[in-house]
Amino acid sequence: MSKDYYNILGVDKNASADEIKKAFRKLAHKYHPDKKGGDEKKFKEINEAFQVVGDPTKRQQYDQYGSTFDQQGGFGGGANWEDFMRATRGQGGAGGFGGINMNDLFGDFFGFGGRGRSQGKRRGNDIQVDIELSFREAAFGVEKEISLAKNNPCGVCAGTGAEPDSKQITCSDCNGQGRVARVQQTILGAMQTVATCQTCSGSGSLAEKKCKHCGGVGMEHSDSKYKIKIPAGIDHGESIRLSGKGESGGAGSQPGDLYVQVLVKSDSEFKRNGTDVHTQARISYPQAVLGDTIRINTLDGEKKLNIPSGTQSHQKFRLKGLGIPHLHSSKRGDQYVDVIIDIPKKVSRKARSLIEELSDELK
């Protein structure tokens, strides 16, 4: 029976080459037999599918004749399963397979030779703090100071873990490389992995004398204060990232980041919708019928608003440019005023008589 290679890869028959390659990468990561939870049978199947539909010439033949067109070689071009597995492990010079660099594809979880890979230096924890702002502070920006207790670099050794006059010596476990290679035996043979040296935390060196203040760990729990500039236009729930202001991870590590989450207090008068603000204004029935000029509150202070004759209840008026500033921009949103006509619950006899007279006049 002909195999449906498109179905195996989970793509449509009209899928582009990039879509096919992306689908193969995802499935290969998931089912590679050297990865925990991998499936060798499934991995062979998706690779077989990719070797065909991932190649323009073979794909054309497959679309015309089906999967029996030329699959005696299993992977095409005379390569076999052992060749492919060597390629995915970066062995034997087989760096490319079916148009994909296997070091780039599998390097993330096998630790061999992907391009641009870092040494994986240990990193401190990211932390988050909340800060509360008034409606106007969030609208126009403000500078705030926050205080918190966290793990900071040791004040004596500046986070190195060494006494100030101590020399740095080469780590004997990694020979100054900051990384160590290990060989593991698996059901598919020996597999080499490269990891950050745990002795020197990837720095490649150690202090000859440990800091007496922190015991060589390079950090201490202490109070910190930071001044934060809150940009105009920030909204409730948004965060500001302070790079490197998180917790220290100890000697030889990079600090984490500090995230300041903004909580904006609600306002009794102004309601926010994006960069627009909404307010209400109450007018009398005569003002609605005859028109008038009223005074309203805006974020920029008191302003005049012209009410035309014949204004209806809940009619909205737009005040351009009196809303919230756009984040990191000079533009501003608008203010919308919802006009509500007040209907008195009780009226005097004279007022009732006049209203009845008006009612007869309007019929």
Side-chain angles (χ1 to χ4, degrees):
M1 181 181 294
S2 179
K3 295 181 181 179
D4 188 342
Y5 288 144
Y6 294 108
N7 185 55
I8 291 171
L9 293 173
V11 296
D12 187 78
K13 188 175 181 179
N14 297 320
S16 66
D18 285 341
E19 289 172 333
I20 291 172
K21 185 178 290 187
K22 184 177 179 180
F24 172 69
R25 286 175 183 268
K26 182 178 178 180
L27 293 172
H29 272 293
K30 181 177 180 180
Y31 292 111
H32 195 285
D34 283 355
K35 187 180 179 183
K36 185 177 180 181
D39 186 327
E40 182 175 344
K41 183 178 179 181
K42 184 70 176 178
F43 188 66
K44 284 183 177 181
E45 186 178 46
I46 62 174
N47 181 68
E48 179 183 328
F50 178 69
Q51 293 307 311
V52 176
V53 298
D55 182 283
T57 302
K58 292 179 181 178
R59 182 180 182 181
Q60 184 178 9
Q61 294 174 331
Y62 169 72
D63 289 342
Q64 186 173 1
Y65 301 110
S67 62
T68 58
F69 73 100
D70 183 24
Q71 283 297 290
Q72 290 84 359
F75 296 98
N80 56 35
W81 178 248
E82 286 71 25
D83 293 332
F84 180 74
M85 290 305 293
R86 279 198 296 271
T88 66
R89 294 187 181 118
Q91 301 167 351
F97 213 91
I100 286 185
N101 186 307
M102 290 303 169
N103 285 345
D104 291 341
L105 178 60
F106 298 107
D108 288 342
F109 57 82
F110 291 127
F112 54 74
R115 289 176 294 180
R117 292 179 57 79
S118 68
Q119 292 189 3
K121 196 172 185 179
R122 193 174 75 248
R123 188 173 181 274
N125 293 327
D126 293 338
I127 53 178
Q128 177 183 302
V129 296
D130 296 338
I131 189 169
E132 194 172 59
L133 304 179
S134 70
F135 192 90
R136 282 177 169 80
E137 285 176 335
F140 295 115
V142 68
E143 185 175 85
K144 292 280 188 177
E145 185 176 80
I146 62 170
S147 300
L148 68 155
K150 61 183 179 71
N151 289 329
N152 287 311
C154 172
V156 175
C157 67
T160 64
E163 278 289 297
D165 60 346
S166 175
K167 296 179 181 178
Q168 292 288 319
I169 59 175
T170 301
C171 175
S172 59
D173 285 0
C174 65
N175 294 320
Q177 299 299 310
R179 306 174 73 189
V180 290
R182 296 185 179 89
V183 177
Q184 294 177 302
Q185 294 296 328
T186 71
I187 59 172
L188 298 174
M191 182 179 72
Q192 179 175 291
T193 60
V194 179
T196 301
C197 177
Q198 297 300 308
T199 304
C200 65
S201 300
S203 65
S205 61
L206 295 169
E208 192 174 39
K209 297 178 182 178
K210 291 183 178 180
C211 173
K212 295 177 182 178
H213 182 71
C214 67
V217 297
M219 64 180 177
E220 60 181 344
H221 198 73
S222 58
D223 294 329
S224 297
K225 289 185 178 181
Y226 301 106
K227 285 186 176 180
I228 304 168
K229 290 185 177 180
I230 309 294
I234 197 164
D235 205 353
H236 181 83
E238 293 182 333
S239 294
I240 299 169
R241 174 174 169 259
L242 301 181
S243 180
K245 302 301 183 183
E247 288 202 304
S248 168
S253 70
Q254 294 176 333
D257 298 331
L258 172 61
Y259 291 87
V260 181
Q261 180 175 252
V262 170
L263 304 178
V264 182
K265 290 187 285 188
S266 60
D267 189 274
S268 60
E269 189 172 9
F270 297 95
K271 307 298 177 186
R272 179 172 179 168
N273 183 13
T275 57
D276 296 330
V277 294
H278 295 258
T279 59
Q280 291 183 338
R282 308 188 83 88
I283 62 174
S284 66
Y285 182 72
Q287 285 177 309
V289 174
L290 302 175
D292 198 0
T293 298
I294 64 172
R295 303 189 76 85
I296 62 167
N297 289 327
T298 73
L299 293 174
D300 293 354
E302 200 174 71
K303 301 286 184 181
K304 290 181 179 179
L305 176 65
N306 291 322
I307 304 296
S309 60
T311 293
Q312 303 297 305
S313 189
H314 291 295
Q315 186 172 335
K316 284 183 170 60
F317 294 89
R318 176 187 175 208
L319 302 178
K320 190 174 181 181
L322 291 182
I324 304 287
H326 290 236
L327 199 62
H328 307 304
S329 171
S330 59
K331 294 182 179 179
R332 289 181 64 175
D334 304 323
Q335 178 174 342
Y336 291 87
V337 183
D338 183 14
V339 172
I340 300 173
I341 300 174
D342 271 334
I343 306 297
K345 294 181 179 180
K346 292 182 179 181
V347 295
S348 65
R349 287 184 180 181
K350 183 178 179 180
R352 179 179 290 277
S353 177
L354 291 171
I355 292 172
E356 288 173 350
E357 186 179 337
L358 175 63
S359 178
D360 291 337
E361 181 67 27
L362 294 175
K363 285 182 180 178

